Amino acid sequence: MVMVERVVQAFPQMEPEDFKVLRALELEMRHHEWVPFERLLERTGFDEKELGYRLSRLDRWDMIIRTRRETVGYLGYQLRPEGYDALALRVLVEEGIIEGLGPEIGVGKEADVYLGISPKGVELAVKFNRIGRTSYTKIKRYREYVKDKRHISWLYVNRLTAEREFEALLHLYPEGVPVPRPVYQNRHVLVMTKFDGKELAETRVDDPERVLREILDAYHQALEVGVVHGDLSQFNIVVENDGSVLLIDWAHWVDLSHPSASELIERDVRNVCEYFRRKYRISVDYREFLPDEEVYGDRG
Ligand SMILES: Nc1ncnc2c1ncn2[C@@H]1O[C@H](COP(=O)(O)OP(=O)(O)OP(=O)(O)O)[C@@H](O)[C@H]1O
Ligand SMILES: [Mg+2]
């Protein structure tokens, strides 16, 4: 279990030299599964004593892992998710995006979401992607986006996921599609405006027909921008406290010209319609809500 709380605790004690070692590890992990001590010496310019001291601090905060000489054949190091968190948090703080982190406000399949407080006191949602720590097959799903197929690390996949979701929100939000406002992205972390409401799965709405219509409208608005959600379900739809609908979790989106677009659209729309049929006994034929063929035509 990754604990952002522990990173937040260690954060005030961290010195520029600690970050320098984390940064060196991050860069070297592109080339090595286990980064040799010597590479870190070169990258940081520290002497052995200083580097040893920094590594032992980072180890104490669980931000790195050290291999045994016997296993890998040399003394090597890896960044842990906590170390990656620290690197991203530092940028968020230095850029004046957040001043502090509050409690966890959401746990998803592949992400932890925390409350973030901006320097002006605005509440934000800070999403930390956590893909692949438990299963490598999940990581393999991302092969398609990865140019160098040999090297698919959790670092890379999580950064890519945050970048992709940020990109989707940047397309959608300015066009008025009801999604959280994108605020910032660094590494595997995405910052957006925080909503006040409940996931569809966790609430019972009084006017299901209206809500379903709003969801499908929002979904079609996104299609007009060329963005296919690809993971739409009662867990990724929010009903805000004022009753309006918000579509969240755009990490799995594809462009409308993508070969799987029509399949994904069908699945998204069917999921939602099915859910309303089961829970609210609304009879809708999901096929009525599928876009016309020509929607793909001029893009594909
Ligand atoms: N902008 C936000 N404001 C408030 N809470 C949020 C926000 N974004 C996400 N959450 C909460 O965090 C939960 C997890 O977020 P999300 O669905 O984006 O992650 P996930 O399901 O792990 O995503 P992914 O499929 O990308 O791995 C949401 O269900 C929601 O409860
Ligand atoms: Mg989700």
Side-chain angles (χ1 to χ4, degrees):
M1 193 45 194
V2 182
M3 301 288 280
V4 172
E5 286 85 353
R6 300 201 45 213
V7 180
V8 169
Q9 252 175 29
F11 199 77
Q13 305 160 51
M14 292 182 75
E15 294 165 354
E17 293 81 359
D18 299 315
F19 285 107
K20 195 164 184 184
V21 174
L22 288 178
R23 176 81 182 122
L25 264 173
E26 178 188 34
L27 291 171
E28 287 297 327
M29 276 179 68
R30 292 182 191 163
H31 311 293
H32 307 275
E33 192 182 349
W34 293 96
V35 180
F37 186 79
E38 288 70 27
R39 290 296 310 139
L40 292 176
L41 279 177
E42 279 173 47
R43 261 264 182 224
T44 56
F46 294 162
D47 60 27
E48 283 188 25
K49 187 160 168 266
E50 174 73 16
L51 182 58
Y53 170 66
R54 294 298 158 186
L55 287 167
S56 72
R57 285 161 64 86
L58 295 170
D59 191 31
R60 183 150 40 84
W61 296 320
D62 283 338
M63 293 185 181
I64 60 166
I65 323 177
R66 181 194 309 251
T67 175
R68 294 176 187 283
R69 266 178 222 276
E70 308 87 72
T71 336
V72 185
Y74 58 86
L75 183 59
Y77 296 86
Q78 273 184 358
L79 197 61
R80 297 191 74 231
E82 286 84 347
Y84 206 39
D85 290 351
L87 281 167
L89 281 176
R90 186 188 197 210
V91 175
L92 296 185
V93 171
E94 280 181 353
E95 292 294 311
I97 308 299
I98 60 164
E99 210 168 57
L101 278 186
E104 192 160 37
I105 53 174
V107 188
K109 300 186 300 288
E110 298 170 337
D112 299 325
V113 180
Y114 282 79
L115 174 69
I117 313 290
S118 86
K120 285 185 178 161
V122 178
E123 290 189 338
L124 298 167
V126 184
K127 179 173 174 178
F128 293 80
N129 283 296
R130 303 279 186 226
I131 303 158
R133 282 270 83 184
T134 47
S135 94
Y136 185 70
T137 38
K138 282 232 170 119
I139 285 205
K140 281 198 281 198
R141 265 186 22 208
Y142 291 80
R143 270 182 192 282
E144 188 183 339
Y145 316 127
V146 180
K147 287 192 199 80
D148 182 357
K149 310 275 186 214
R150 287 164 308 164
H151 199 77
I152 306 175
S153 70
W154 59 267
L155 249 101
Y156 187 61
V157 165
N158 284 294
R159 169 162 67 82
L160 211 62
T161 303
E163 282 172 5
R164 280 184 55 78
E165 183 165 12
F166 191 57
E167 191 190 343
L169 296 179
L170 288 176
H171 287 311
L172 297 164
Y173 184 80
E175 297 297 326
V177 186
V179 298
R181 178 168 67 79
V183 173
Y184 199 79
Q185 178 261 322
N186 183 266
R187 295 183 170 83
H188 60 317
V189 178
L190 168 64
V191 184
M192 59 193 141
T193 47
K194 176 181 162 298
F195 60 74
D196 291 304
K198 280 205 162 79
E199 290 167 28
L200 205 53
E202 281 178 2
T203 181
R204 222 188 144 76
V205 298
D206 304 328
D207 44 358
E209 280 90 359
R210 196 252 325 151
V211 173
L212 177 59
R213 189 163 15 86
E214 267 193 41
I215 293 168
L216 293 168
D217 282 352
Y219 189 80
H220 283 117
Q221 253 181 294
L223 291 183
E224 272 165 40
V225 180
V227 176
V228 178
H229 189 289
D231 190 25
L232 197 70
S233 73
Q234 60 273 26
F235 303 105
N236 289 332
I237 298 168
V238 169
V239 182
E240 292 184 274
N241 292 344
D242 68 1
S244 53
V245 158
L246 208 62
L247 306 187
I248 66 164
D249 199 352
W250 292 82
H252 303 280
W253 75 281
V254 299
D255 192 274
L256 199 50
S257 64
H258 191 277
S260 323
S262 62
E263 214 175 290
L264 290 170
I265 294 171
E266 182 163 333
R267 194 180 66 189
D268 282 348
V269 172
R270 198 177 43 208
N271 276 347
V272 173
C273 291
E274 253 313 287
Y275 182 75
F276 276 82
R277 200 184 54 74
R278 280 201 318 273
K279 187 164 175 178
Y280 298 106
R281 304 277 154 224
I282 296 182
S283 64
V284 278
D285 182 356
Y286 77 91
R287 282 166 296 194
E288 279 174 37
F289 297 98
L290 295 178
D292 300 330
E293 278 303 316
E294 57 264 29
V295 171
Y296 314 103
D298 45 332
R299 289 172 183 271

